[in-house]
Amino acid sequence: MKTMHSTLLLLLMAPLTQPAPQTQLDSHINYEYGTNNFEEIKFSQDYEDNYLHGKNIKGKEIMITPDEKTLQLQKDEVVPSLPTKKENDEMPTCLLCVCLSGSVYCEEVDIDAVPPLPKESAYLYARFNKIKKLTAKDFADMPNLRRLDFTGNLIEDIEDSTFSKLSLLEELILAENQLLRLPVLPPKLTLLNAKHNKIKNKGIKANTFKKLNKLSFLYLDHNDLESVPPNLPESLRVIHLQFNSISSITDDTFCKANDTRYIRDRIEEIRLEGNPIALGKHPNSFICLKRLPIGSYF
């Protein structure tokens, strides 16, 4: 009886002692909290979910494709190359040259013509280029020009009317070119430098200097002059005629033969060395001067 009671008690307690159902673990998720590789484990899980189980992942793929705007920006960032010689003629003057407070500097840029100038330009420095000719069109509507410097070009010809409308022009520098003659000069000119050219007397008209009442400095050395140009103005202070082919001087070249009291007191320097002339043979030619010319007297 006692045995039957114990058996009955065990049968009644059996349902209460059944093992709890095993917790269903996700075979793919294994979070390791508190470690540094949590993100790698999560990425690994996403990879398995999408690839190992054959899911479509096109929606998650990110393709970076440059659009037209991006490509254009990349092109704009490319450093521009220096302009070629052919492009020089098409470039704005102040990109090819340097423009600064009314002055334009176009030196050693291989131009073969005068570039268009800003209207407010007063000073142009176009030295050591390949300019061969100057025309009136080069300076049309440029009333403010005061100084032009074309030293070291290849200028062979200048139209007579090139400088006629430049009423404010004071300094004209044409040194080291290939000039055979001088053009008409503006009335307010104070300095003319045309040294180291090929100018002959026939290339200078009789009245070229006659009305230049403000001309103070005249540089015509290293040319092919056979005599001193006529009608030099009273305003001259410095005259350079050295290293030409001057072989004769008269009493009227610098002085006035019929006026023994005439004194030319403004002249400070006359240079005649390097010419085939003995200045000592023409004593009356310098009687009106404060200083004798520099040159050979014997």
Side-chain angles (χ1 to χ4, degrees), residues 112-114 130-136 138-139 150 153-160 162 177 179 181:
D112 55 12
V114 178
K130 298 179 180 179
I131 301 172
K132 294 183 178 181
K133 186 176 182 178
L134 299 179
T135 68
D138 294 332
F139 309 106
F150 291 100
N153 279 271
L154 303 172
I155 302 173
E156 298 176 348
D157 185 42
I158 302 176
E159 290 182 0
D160 270 342
T162 298
N177 281 279
L179 287 173
R181 65 183 188 88

Side-chain angles (χ1 to χ4, degrees), residues 113-131:
V114 178
L117 302 174
K119 289 189 176 181
E120 66 274 11
S121 300
Y123 305 92
L124 171 62
Y125 300 88
R127 296 179 286 199
F128 307 110
N129 287 291
K130 298 179 180 179
I131 301 172

Side-chain angles (χ1 to χ4, degrees), residues 31-257:
Y31 299 102
E32 297 182 13
Y33 295 99
T35 65
N36 294 329
N37 62 341
F38 172 74
E39 292 183 359
E40 294 180 3
I41 296 170
K42 185 66 174 68
F43 174 81
S44 177
Q45 175 59 37
D46 290 340
Y47 177 83
E48 292 176 3
D49 288 344
N50 292 313
Y51 288 89
L52 297 183
H53 295 279
K55 292 183 180 180
N56 185 5
I57 63 167
K58 290 184 179 179
K60 294 185 179 181
E61 292 180 350
I62 300 175
M63 297 293 292
I64 301 176
T65 303
D67 55 15
E68 293 183 0
K69 185 176 181 180
T70 304
L71 291 174
Q72 184 61 40
L73 288 173
Q74 292 175 347
K75 290 180 181 179
D76 292 342
E77 291 174 357
V78 177
V79 178
S81 59
L82 293 174
T84 62
K85 183 177 179 181
K86 290 184 178 180
E87 291 174 342
N88 282 352
D89 295 337
E90 301 175 358
M91 291 184 64
T93 299
C94 292
L95 289 180
L96 178 65
C97 308
V98 177
C99 301
L100 182 64
S101 300
S103 297
V104 180
Y105 298 88
C106 288
E107 299 176 315
E108 297 184 274
V109 290
D110 287 340
I111 53 176
D112 55 12
V114 178
L117 302 174
K119 289 189 176 181
E120 66 274 11
S121 300
Y123 305 92
L124 171 62
Y125 300 88
R127 296 179 286 199
F128 307 110
N129 287 291
K130 298 179 180 179
I131 301 172
K132 294 183 178 181
K133 186 176 182 178
L134 299 179
T135 68
K137 293 181 180 180
D138 294 332
F139 309 106
D141 300 321
M142 300 294 298
N144 298 319
L145 285 171
R146 295 178 179 273
R147 181 185 178 98
L148 294 174
D149 190 345
F150 291 100
T151 299
N153 279 271
L154 303 172
I155 302 173
E156 298 176 348
D157 185 42
I158 302 176
E159 290 182 0
D160 270 342
S161 58
T162 298
F163 309 117
S164 60
K165 294 184 179 180
L166 303 182
S167 59
L168 298 180
L169 189 65
E170 297 176 349
E171 299 182 12
L172 179 58
I173 304 174
L174 302 167
E176 300 176 34
N177 281 279
Q178 305 294 323
L179 287 173
L180 297 174
R181 65 183 188 88
L182 291 177
V184 175
L185 301 173
K188 291 187 178 181
L189 204 64
T190 62
L191 180 148
L192 174 64
N193 186 344
K195 65 181 180 180
H196 287 278
N197 278 278
K198 300 178 180 180
I199 301 172
K200 297 179 178 291
N201 281 84
K202 64 181 181 180
I204 301 178
K205 296 180 180 179
N207 60 350
T208 296
F209 300 108
K210 188 174 184 178
K211 296 182 179 180
L212 301 183
N213 297 323
K214 296 186 177 182
L215 186 65
S216 296
F217 303 93
L218 177 61
Y219 302 99
L220 290 173
D221 53 281
H222 295 85
N223 277 280
D224 292 329
L225 298 174
E226 300 91 1
S227 62
V228 177
N231 297 315
L232 296 179
E234 297 284 332
S235 57
L236 280 171
R237 294 169 53 192
V238 175
I239 305 173
H240 283 192
L241 297 168
Q242 69 268 27
F243 297 100
N244 277 278
S245 299
I246 298 173
S247 58
S248 63
I249 291 179
T250 69
D251 293 349
D252 289 317
T253 299
F254 299 110
C255 302
K256 295 180 179 180

